[in-house]
Amino acid sequence: EADIYQTPRYLVIGTGKKITLECSQTMGHDKMYWYQQDPGMELHLIHYSYGVNSTEKGDLSSESTVSRIRTEHFPLTLESARPSHTSQYLCASSETWVSYNEQFFGPGTRLTVL
Amino acid sequence: AQKITQTQPGMFVQEKEAVTLDCTYDTSDQSYGLFWYKQPSSGEMIFLIYQGSYDEQNATEGRYSLNFQKARKSANLVISASQLGDSAMYFCAMRGITGANNLFFGTGTRLTVIP
């Protein structure tokens, strides 16, 4: 079983609020990812990190930001939430660059912005 | 760039029957991995099976097998002896070795197992 955690699991907030979605893994993985998934749709990469102090934007443009100060922690922040940010956010990690390493996913955060 | 295509938005299967979920892919990478994930209504992504581009044998994991046809660029998932708990969304995904090394996902197939 994967040791990757996300909090909160569900979040309902009002427009304009600042929020941080937490993601932690205890596997010592260098690579971490954030995916966004609208209901019934595929996942799209919005951020990734090669390791500490490394962050990159993914394929899907996002107004969110991320940080990677510790290997195990990869939080995602929205400075001012809007209804268009309503979605599920999934955090993942993997061990190496090699294509056969699976990505382990957290349980996801379902965000609703009113 | 990688692209995954799943052409079946929804599938129905009778309990205890087998079902095939289709997946085709496109990539310019010589080395890549193909994955299938299951996503129940609770939202988490559950890894099912992996196939490497250089693997000659089709991957199998319990009731799951991957029918890999490299020349056709297809990687279909076969679930044998379907169970009610198999009802979920199923995503085919590809991971290359360039760029972000992330997973590229298809649009998914919603499988419903009928008692």
Side-chain angles (χ1 to χ4, degrees):
Chain A
E1 193 166 312
D3 296 321
I4 180 163
Y5 310 98
Q6 289 185 245
T7 57
R9 289 293 311 276
Y10 303 91
L11 180 61
V12 181
I13 60 166
T15 297
K17 299 291 186 184
K18 177 179 179 178
I19 59 166
T20 296
L21 308 184
E22 301 288 348
C23 175
S24 296
Q25 50 94 6
T26 58
M27 298 171 280
H29 288 169
D30 286 328
K31 301 203 76 176
M32 295 190 73
Y33 308 83
W34 277 103
Y35 293 87
Q36 183 176 341
Q37 183 186 28
D38 291 335
M41 305 294 286
E42 68 267 47
L43 285 71
H44 290 285
L45 181 72
I46 51 174
H47 298 284
Y48 64 100
S49 168
Y50 301 129
V52 172
N53 293 326
S54 151
T55 61
E56 301 285 345
K57 290 191 178 294
D59 304 320
L60 183 67
S61 176
S62 173
E63 294 167 345
S64 58
T65 59
V66 292
S67 62
R68 190 90 183 274
I69 299 171
R70 303 197 314 265
T71 298
E72 62 270 23
H73 195 214
F74 191 40
L76 180 146
T77 299
L78 276 165
E79 290 292 333
S80 179
R82 293 206 302 269
S84 60
H85 296 140
T86 295
S87 191
Q88 171 158 255
Y89 294 84
L90 288 145
C91 181
S93 73
S94 67
E95 190 174 12
T96 68
W97 288 90
V98 183
S99 66
Y100 55 71
N101 283 112
E102 69 174 279
Q103 290 190 3
F104 295 93
F105 282 85
T109 295
R110 292 196 182 182
L111 173 65
T112 302
V113 184
L114 304 176
Chain B
Q2 282 87 358
K3 184 176 172 61
I4 295 285
T5 302
Q6 293 180 255
T7 57
Q8 305 156 314
M11 290 282 286
F12 292 87
V13 63
Q14 203 76 37
E15 193 178 6
K16 300 180 185 175
E17 301 273 309
V19 63
T20 298
L21 306 184
D22 294 340
C23 173
T24 58
Y25 63 91
D26 192 21
T27 182
S28 55
D29 287 350
Q30 294 301 307
S31 177
Y32 51 88
L34 296 157
F35 300 79
W36 278 90
Y37 283 83
K38 173 184 178 181
Q39 187 177 44
S41 57
S42 52
E44 71 269 30
M45 297 291 283
I46 302 168
F47 166 75
L48 296 178
I49 196 167
Y50 162 83
Q51 179 83 42
S53 57
Y54 291 113
D55 293 341
E56 294 184 354
Q57 302 254 1
N58 285 342
T60 60
E61 288 285 348
R63 294 187 298 111
Y64 305 108
S65 60
L66 199 152
N67 184 0
F68 180 48
Q69 297 187 44
K70 193 171 182 177
R72 293 187 176 186
K73 294 190 174 180
S74 74
N76 298 339
L77 177 71
V78 181
I79 305 174
S80 62
S82 297
Q83 301 171 356
L84 295 178
D86 293 336
S87 293
M89 281 289 284
Y90 289 80
F91 289 95
C92 180
M94 162 182 284
R95 188 179 190 194
I97 59 172
T98 57
N101 195 223
N102 58 294
L103 287 166
F104 288 86
F105 287 87
T107 51
T109 295
R110 181 170 296 282
L111 178 66
T112 303
V113 181
I114 304 165

